[in-house]
Amino acid sequence: MQPTEQRPPVSGRRLGIFGVVALVGAGLIVGTGIRAREEQDNRLKEWTDDQAIPTVAVALPNAKALSPTIDLPGRLEAYSRAPIYARVSGYLKNWDADIGARVKAGQVIAEIEAPDLDQQLLQARADLASAQASAKLSEATLARRKTLVASNFVSAQEIDERTADLSNKNGAVRAGQANVERLEALAGYKKITAPFDGVVTSRDTDVGALINAGGNSGPAMFTVSDITKLRVYVNVPQNYVPAIKIGAKATLSLPDYPNRSFQATVEASSQAVDVASGTTRMQLGLDNSSGELMPGSYASVKLNLQRDATPLSIPASALIFNGNGLRVATVTPDDKVLFKTVKIGRDLGKEIELASGLAPDDRIITAPPDGLADGDHVRVTGAGATKGKPTTASEKQDVKG
């Protein structure tokens, strides 16, 4: 049996060194873990802070006019239109022009039988003849009396009386003559004539119809319209009136001619705003020498707008309407929210044309999130995003790099 090999005893000094080394290693491990934990916490805090800042898309207002025109409904009317009423009472004897007939100025289009007027004229002529005979007798009597003045057979008083009687009789003659001429002029209205070259656009009478003089007893007998040129009437909203100048051009579209357009010119403005509608009536002139267009027709009128300054426009999604009114959220150079009150010029659907409230270099938030308030810090993207200062640590690092 061989003896067992004995190991040399471990000294206490080596054990102490080993313990110190183990302790230092454990401390390094613990320190490294703590430092890693702190760095992770710092990164998490930084990421959380970055995520707390809302990201918004910004854009600059569009300084180009979205639409230099405005579309409005219009109504075509004849440039000259004359409803024709009778000046004498009677019965319609005949008519010679039906609707659609082209007539010339002075052309007879109807005739009225007026027996009462004819009798009045005959009586007036008879009264005139009687007055003329009385005046002639009075003149002869005065002439004979004057020949007897020298013989003192006739007094001066009688001569004066005869002279006054002659003047009275001559006055009656002139009155009778005026009455005859009046009735003759009235009898001339038994023939209805066209006042100017044009088209008969209405006829509301027929042969044998009882005709009453004047225009308060029913519709006009005829209506004659000059349609070689038409008037186009448009009611323009008050805020657009300054942008529509006299002489401005307009384009008309009519349902009668879907593939065609017609040119017109602004000729006049009523220079007043209708209280009920808030619009100003404007008149346009439209050439219709071809006779294609009809008075009374509806037309869509596209008017050119002439403005002193180009309006700014923004997306409709940028508008905020609440208890503070109509506002737009903008971003300041240091990337903070600033609300501005605006006024709308025109609502064009997806785009809004502003009348006031913004500057051309304002960065607007195109779709502002809920809960934004003045002074809030935001991260910006989109057009104009580089105008502000970097807000996150990563952005700052990118700028430094």
Side-chain angles (χ1 to χ4, degrees):
M1 183 175 180
Q2 296 181 354
T4 303
E5 184 178 357
Q6 295 182 352
R7 295 181 181 179
V10 179
S11 65
R13 184 178 179 182
R14 292 179 64 185
L15 290 174
I17 292 173
F18 180 78
V20 171
V21 171
L23 183 61
V24 171
L28 289 174
I29 293 174
V30 172
T32 302
I34 293 174
R35 183 177 179 183
R37 178 69 62 85
E38 289 179 349
E39 290 179 354
Q40 184 177 2
D41 289 344
N42 289 335
R43 287 196 299 269
L44 179 60
K45 183 177 183 301
E46 183 179 336
W47 181 85
T48 303
D49 292 341
D50 289 346
Q51 294 302 312
I53 300 175
T55 300
V56 295
V58 299
L60 298 176
N62 188 357
K64 180 181 179 181
L66 296 178
S67 177
T69 61
I70 181 174
D71 293 329
L72 296 170
R75 185 67 62 183
L76 275 60
E77 297 292 346
Y79 208 80
S80 298
R81 177 179 177 275
I84 300 176
Y85 294 89
R87 287 283 287 114
V88 297
S89 298
Y91 296 91
L92 190 66
K93 182 178 180 181
N94 58 67
W95 54 265
D96 300 320
D98 207 348
I99 56 174
R102 294 189 175 273
V103 294
K104 297 291 185 180
Q107 177 181 336
V108 177
I109 58 178
E111 188 173 357
I112 298 174
E113 286 185 335
D116 293 347
L117 177 61
D118 295 339
Q119 293 302 316
Q120 290 176 19
L121 181 57
L122 291 175
Q123 181 179 353
R125 286 172 176 168
D127 291 342
L128 175 59
S130 176
Q132 289 173 336
S134 296
K136 186 176 181 179
L137 176 60
S138 179
E139 182 180 6
T141 301
L142 176 61
R144 286 194 298 270
R145 289 294 187 270
K146 285 182 177 180
T147 60
L148 300 176
V149 171
S151 61
N152 292 326
F153 185 79
V154 177
S155 65
Q157 176 69 27
E158 185 177 354
I159 296 298
D160 293 340
E161 291 175 354
R162 292 294 179 179
T163 302
D165 180 67
L166 177 59
S167 297
N168 187 32
K169 297 294 177 57
N170 286 333
V173 170
R174 290 191 292 271
Q177 183 65 41
N179 189 39
V180 170
E181 291 175 355
R182 177 184 69 83
L183 292 174
E184 286 177 344
L186 199 58
Y189 287 110
K190 292 191 295 182
K191 293 183 177 182
I192 308 298
T193 59
F196 46 75
D197 294 355
V199 176
V200 177
T201 54
S202 73
R203 177 182 63 82
D204 291 306
T205 189
D206 212 336
V207 175
L210 176 64
I211 306 300
N212 293 314
N216 299 323
S217 57
M221 297 174 62
F222 299 88
T223 301
V224 177
S225 302
D226 180 6
I227 62 172
T228 56
K229 186 177 181 181
L230 298 178
R231 303 177 194 264
V232 184
Y233 290 106
V234 180
N235 294 323
V236 180
Q238 180 179 349
N239 55 324
Y240 293 111
V241 172
I244 301 176
K245 311 296 183 183
I246 302 299
K249 301 300 180 181
T251 302
L252 275 68
S253 301
L254 289 87
D256 319 22
Y257 303 96
N259 299 321
R260 295 180 58 186
S261 60
F262 302 86
Q263 299 301 313
T265 304
V266 179
E267 292 185 339
S269 169
S270 65
Q271 297 295 318
V273 177
D274 181 70
V275 177
S277 64
T279 59
T280 295
R281 197 178 201 197
M282 289 194 170
Q283 175 185 301
L284 289 71
L286 175 62
D287 179 66
N288 189 39
S289 54
S290 61
E292 295 177 298
L293 305 180
M294 298 179 292
S297 299
Y298 164 83
S300 177
V301 183
K302 179 177 290 186
L303 291 161
N304 293 328
L305 302 179
Q306 302 176 16
R307 303 184 179 182
D308 298 331
T310 303
L312 298 177
S313 57
I314 62 173
S317 59
L319 287 177
I320 301 173
F321 183 73
N322 52 29
N324 296 319
L326 193 62
R327 301 189 299 170
V328 170
T330 65
V331 179
T332 62
D334 56 352
D335 292 344
K336 292 185 178 180
V337 176
L338 176 63
F339 284 91
K340 291 189 174 183
T341 301
V342 297
K343 291 184 179 179
I344 293 179
R346 281 197 296 171
D347 186 347
L348 301 175
K350 293 183 179 180
E351 297 287 335
I352 301 296
E353 201 171 84
L354 298 179
S356 62
L358 287 184
D361 58 348
D362 282 336
R363 296 186 299 169
I364 60 171
I365 301 177
T366 55
D370 294 335
L372 278 184
D374 278 324
D376 285 353
H377 211 173
V378 293
R379 183 186 299 110
V380 296
T381 60
T386 59
K387 181 179 178 181
K389 300 177 180 179
T391 57
T392 67
S394 59
E395 290 172 345
K396 292 177 181 178
Q397 185 64 31
D398 292 339
V399 172
K400 290 179 181 178

